[in-house]
Amino acid sequence: MILLFVENFKISLSAVFANKTRSILTALGIIIGILSVTLMGTLISGLDKSFESSMSWLGKDILYVSRYEWFSDMEWWEVRNRPRMLPEYVNKIKEKSQYALAVAPVMQRGASLSFEDKSTRTEIFGTNEEYMETISTNIATGRFFTKNEDRSGSRVTVIGEGIREAFFGDKDPVGKYIKIDDIKFRVIGVLEKQGKFLGLFSVDKQAILPFGAYKRIFSKRGWMRLSVKVPDDKLEDGLDEIISVMRHIRGLKPNEKNDFAINQTKAFEKQYKALKIAIGGTGIFITLLSLVVGGIGIMNIMFVSVKERTREIGVRKAIGATKGMIMGQFLMEAVTICLFAGSVGILLAYIFSFFINKFFPSELPIFLSLVAMFMSIVVGVISGFIPSYRASKLDPIDSLRYE
Amino acid sequence: MALILLKNIYKIYNVGGEEVRALDGVNLEIKDNEYLAIMGPSGSGKSTLMNMVGCLDTPTSGIYEFEGEMVQVMDDSQLASIRNRKIGFVFQTFNLLPKATAQHNVEIPLIYANIRKDKRKEMASEALSSVGLSDRSHHRPNELSGGQRQRVAIARALVNNPSIILADEPTGNLDSKSGEEIMKILDDLHNRGNTIILVTHEDDIAQHANRIIRLLDGKIIEDLYIEKNDSFIC
Ligand SMILES: Nc1ncnc2c1ncn2[C@@H]1O[C@H](COP(=O)(O)OP(=O)(O)OP(=O)(O)O)[C@@H](O)[C@H]1O
Ligand SMILES: [Mg+2]
């Protein structure tokens, strides 16, 4: 059986190569099908990767308490009428909540930073000493500010890796003074490199200031949110508790709606899943369509091949081929075309994903290549089945007489 | 025991509502190592009879026993196995695979017989050299003369050591010199113990056989054994 398998494969190869143009044209549908399924997979795996790292940066165990929902179909005026977050919520939450492990207020705005003759525009954050517990990034050099520095309004800052690179190069930034909107701050630490959030914008260009100094210098009022860390095995309980603590702080009656939002990475996950389904659905649709069209093309070409080689089939039967052997020969031919098409499709996908990777982190999963190969084989078997079956059923005498 | 036994064989075609009796009640017994020539006018049923004997065709009615076994009850793989191991076909139009070399053409029956590659190469080379074509083994059919192609076809027929060679007008497409070469090979095979069944239109080709049957309209009208005196031939 192995011998025959090898032989059939050789026959198929020579049949496919004898009609190169025909084979390539026939294979086109399958090539596109395989290309689209692998590219789709590449895209999704790339999205998954950057999503995962972005989400871990946000932190699954962090509740973001603010005025706005991240993704919401609420009317804007309804949201606008909500009361703003206040700095005293930090202590209130700490008092009333048993799940809150860390509570950090976060204010944010754009500012221009400069050091010697270099300057850049970036986001600055004002927060307290518990902030580090609510992000997954660590300090690379130096240290974070302390509670005392926060209270006393010390002008110290922790900068992102992007700022360090732009301003200091090889030099040690700790102890140096930079200007934030023309006010001097002493650099006391640098955050680790974090990369791009969702592959879109860099979060390494930032400066973190103690809440006290930030509030005094940059804005007393202004947009603020709270990051609340809860135990990651008590996410649901933590959420419920923070909601009721917030309702209590706001003095809401049982029949009143929440006038605040508590966001979690889950919200991103939901959005992301919808995006994934959209990409996946489109990809699968294109794939199925081109595989069906391609499969019909293969079936057609196999009918032609069987017809062209009717006499050969007669001869082969006369010298001892069984029906099964003839069937195997033609099935193998169909599968060979499809495998060829599948390989070309995967190769193209690798080339494409190499270029896509320049703009967007992506990678063609090996597993998907195998699935694509398997799919090619299945298409080959399905589309080759009827022509091969017909070939096997041919009457040897009629075939030998065939001109 | 008869090698081949045909009892009251009919092969009836229906062409446009009209009955064509390609074989019309044929009774024939062929023994081991016979050298049989089938003659008759065109359309008399020679090829039909040949294909029947070669297990390529099935009769409309009648009984065919091959080595004492009923052919009608055999399944596809048994028939394929007989065609592969017991019978070697030689056609008027050679019927070689055009894209394969002589060597590969000869190897095909061995592939179906599931014989290992090295053994296969050896057997095919041997068969090619027995028909005098060792030096042409890597040629494709279109690089060979008609006589050479037919010799490749014979090599293919005999490579799996079948006991019976069926040749349907093997010299029909050849000039008389090439035809004689082919007949010499068939004579040799007969002398080595093979059974040869041959369809021909030519009397001098039929003279190589030691039995001649004549067909007319699907019936055997003459069955003649030729007494051969070896000294006579020289
Ligand atoms: N598939 C078929 N359908 C209808 N009639 C057929 C078929 N095959 C053969 N015949 C008829 O059967 C008869 C015998 O055909 P066969 O091929 O056996 O003749 P033959 O003796 O070999 O002739 P030739 O010497 O020309 O080769 C012919 O009359 C032919 O028309
Ligand atoms: Mg004939």
Side-chain angles (χ1 to χ4, degrees), chain A residues 108-256:
Chain A
Q108 177 179 359
R109 58 170 282 183
S112 73
L113 266 64
S114 60
F115 174 70
E116 293 174 349
D117 55 342
K118 302 176 195 101
S119 75
T120 181
R121 265 205 87 73
T122 183
E123 289 293 300
I124 58 170
F125 295 85
T127 185
N128 68 6
E129 78 288 349
E130 290 185 14
Y131 181 68
M132 284 309 286
E133 290 175 54
T134 68
I135 62 172
S136 58
T137 315
N138 295 317
I139 293 282
T141 50
R143 59 175 181 86
F144 204 71
F145 51 79
T146 62
K147 195 169 181 169
N148 277 335
E149 282 169 320
D150 181 12
R151 278 221 197 115
S152 64
S154 300
R155 293 179 184 179
V156 293
T157 180
V158 173
I159 57 175
E161 167 63 21
I163 301 290
R164 185 203 64 73
E165 206 183 332
F167 284 2
F168 300 100
D170 301 332
K171 283 176 277 177
D172 182 12
V174 175
K176 302 262 169 25
Y177 286 87
I178 61 171
K179 280 184 176 171
I180 300 177
D181 278 1
D182 283 331
I183 293 163
K184 269 189 174 176
F185 278 79
R186 183 163 52 94
V187 177
I188 56 167
V190 181
L191 289 177
E192 279 179 340
K193 194 174 170 62
Q194 300 173 51
K196 291 180 173 180
F197 182 67
L198 290 177
L200 297 176
F201 52 89
S202 170
V203 288
D204 285 325
K205 280 189 112 187
Q206 58 165 310
I208 301 167
L209 321 179
F211 199 70
Y214 182 99
K215 233 172 38 172
R216 202 166 307 156
I217 299 166
F218 297 104
S219 70
K220 295 201 162 58
R221 295 155 59 80
W223 184 82
M224 189 186 117
R225 65 173 162 85
L226 300 170
S227 295
V228 181
K229 184 185 173 76
V230 294
D232 56 7
D233 55 341
K234 292 268 175 7
L235 290 180
E236 292 299 318
D237 296 345
L239 177 64
D240 289 345
E241 192 208 47
I242 297 299
I243 290 174
S244 70
V245 168
M246 277 304 293
R247 287 183 66 87
H248 186 86
I249 290 172
R250 288 278 166 88
L252 296 174
K253 299 194 184 79
N255 60 345
E256 281 176 310

Side-chain angles (χ1 to χ4, degrees), chain B residues 46-47 168-169 199:
Chain B
K46 305 182 294 294
S47 296
D168 193 345
E169 301 191 47
V199 170

Side-chain angles (χ1 to χ4, degrees), chain A residues 7 311 316-317 319 323, chain B residues 76 83-84 93 104 112:
Chain A
E7 174 66 12
R311 217 180 155 82
R316 287 183 180 276
K317 286 196 168 182
I319 59 181
K323 284 181 180 148
Chain B
D76 175 62
R83 295 197 289 257
N84 185 243
T93 51
H104 191 244
Y112 292 137

